[in-house]
Amino acid sequence: MIRRRTFAAPVRTGVRWLCRLVLRTLGVHSRMQGALPPGGALLLANHLGWVDILAMLAHADCTFVAKREVAGWPVVGWLARRMGVVFVDRARKRDLLCAIPAMTDALARGQRILLFPEGTTGDGRTLLPFKSALVEAAVRARVPVVPIAISASAADMDARALCWIGTETLAQNLPRLRALTSAAVTLRAGTAVPPGACRKMLTHRARLAILALVNWPAVRGYARCVRVPAGIHTPEGVATGSVMMPR
């Protein structure tokens, strides 16, 4: 199911300030390092929890792709609907097929779209395998892919402080979040991967860039073997022939 709306610049600015206000109310400090390229771009980021979305919207003019359940979440769901989020049921292939043309159109019009290619939240310690299907939109629109590394910290807990853990509900997560001291979310934008490569290569290169930015171990999850040019860095080292690429 696709929900897509275009908002004028003043409204997007208002949403950005609202996100900053919510983060401040929750006691979460956010910052972004690095610059995003002008115009349309697909932003690929690791995913820790719902605070990621607020932090990204507070610092970047973008919409994003989210699982369908997000539409019903308090505050975050409301913001998402008004930012023209593309809601996707990843279990339904038809939803993915409908999402790609919608994303392609938005990217071609100069919109930035945030995508969490892990398809779920991580624990703030490892990077899960990336799914590449929706990256096809960047290939069709011929826009760059920008790797975004998201990390969290707090003075009194480990890196999982702001993560959405297991089957935790929003009602359980909020009190835990409010109890933290010096909670912070850092967004690091890597060098944009230029358009032109296939979606699997774009996804692969973005994932490697995020790994380098956060210095986490990777959880392997590759499905097929494709040829990459010699000299390209992979999780196994510098490629000299065929390497395993993400689904």
Side-chain angles (χ1 to χ4, degrees):
M1 177 181 179
I2 306 300
R3 297 194 63 166
R4 184 162 56 95
R5 298 177 183 176
T6 301
F7 267 40
V11 177
R12 295 198 301 267
T13 300
V15 170
R16 187 172 304 118
W17 281 104
L18 180 58
C19 288
R20 292 175 182 176
L21 176 61
V22 172
L23 289 170
R24 190 175 300 117
T25 301
L26 293 172
V28 178
H29 173 72
S30 66
R31 62 174 180 165
M32 186 162 192
Q33 300 174 346
L36 300 177
L42 184 61
L43 315 179
L44 294 192
N46 60 297
H47 195 16
L48 304 181
W50 61 275
V51 177
D52 298 357
I53 300 170
L54 295 180
M56 282 299 303
L57 292 181
H59 291 277
D61 182 5
C62 66
T63 187
F64 55 97
V65 178
K67 60 183 181 180
R68 185 178 294 179
E69 300 94 298
V70 173
W73 291 358
V75 182
V76 175
W78 181 85
L79 287 172
R81 290 190 296 273
R82 280 150 185 80
M83 289 299 293
V85 166
V86 179
F87 295 110
V88 175
D89 182 351
R90 291 183 178 273
R92 299 179 60 188
K93 187 176 181 179
R94 183 177 179 180
D95 266 23
L96 294 176
L97 295 177
C98 291
I100 292 172
M103 291 172 61
T104 301
D105 180 61
L107 291 168
R109 287 186 285 104
Q111 178 67 63
R112 297 190 188 107
I113 299 179
L114 172 65
L115 174 64
F116 298 115
E118 290 170 294
T120 186
T121 55
D123 61 3
R125 293 176 172 177
T126 57
L127 191 65
L128 300 174
F130 280 11
K131 298 176 174 63
S132 67
L134 295 178
V135 181
E136 177 64 24
V139 176
R140 296 183 184 183
R142 297 195 60 77
V143 298
V145 170
V146 182
I148 307 286
I150 302 177
S151 58
S153 63
D156 48 359
M157 292 188 70
D158 62 25
R160 294 178 296 174
L162 281 80
C163 298
W164 192 282
I165 300 174
T167 58
E168 185 178 46
T169 65
L170 184 62
Q172 293 170 325
N173 183 262
L174 275 172
R176 188 168 66 87
L177 182 60
R178 291 297 303 273
L180 298 177
T181 302
S182 301
V185 175
T186 301
L187 315 169
R188 297 180 177 90
T191 303
V193 181
C198 70
R199 63 180 172 86
K200 294 182 183 295
M201 179 60 76
L202 288 173
T203 305
H204 182 63
R205 293 178 65 183
R207 186 170 185 265
L208 292 177
I210 292 173
L211 279 171
L213 288 168
V214 297
N215 195 30
W216 292 343
V219 175
R220 305 288 174 81
Y222 298 96
R224 58 182 299 187
C225 189
V226 298
R227 178 72 61 178
V228 298
I232 294 294
H233 287 267
T234 75
E236 291 76 24
V238 179
T240 57
S242 296
V243 298
M244 301 303 291
M245 301 296 290
R247 297 183 182 88

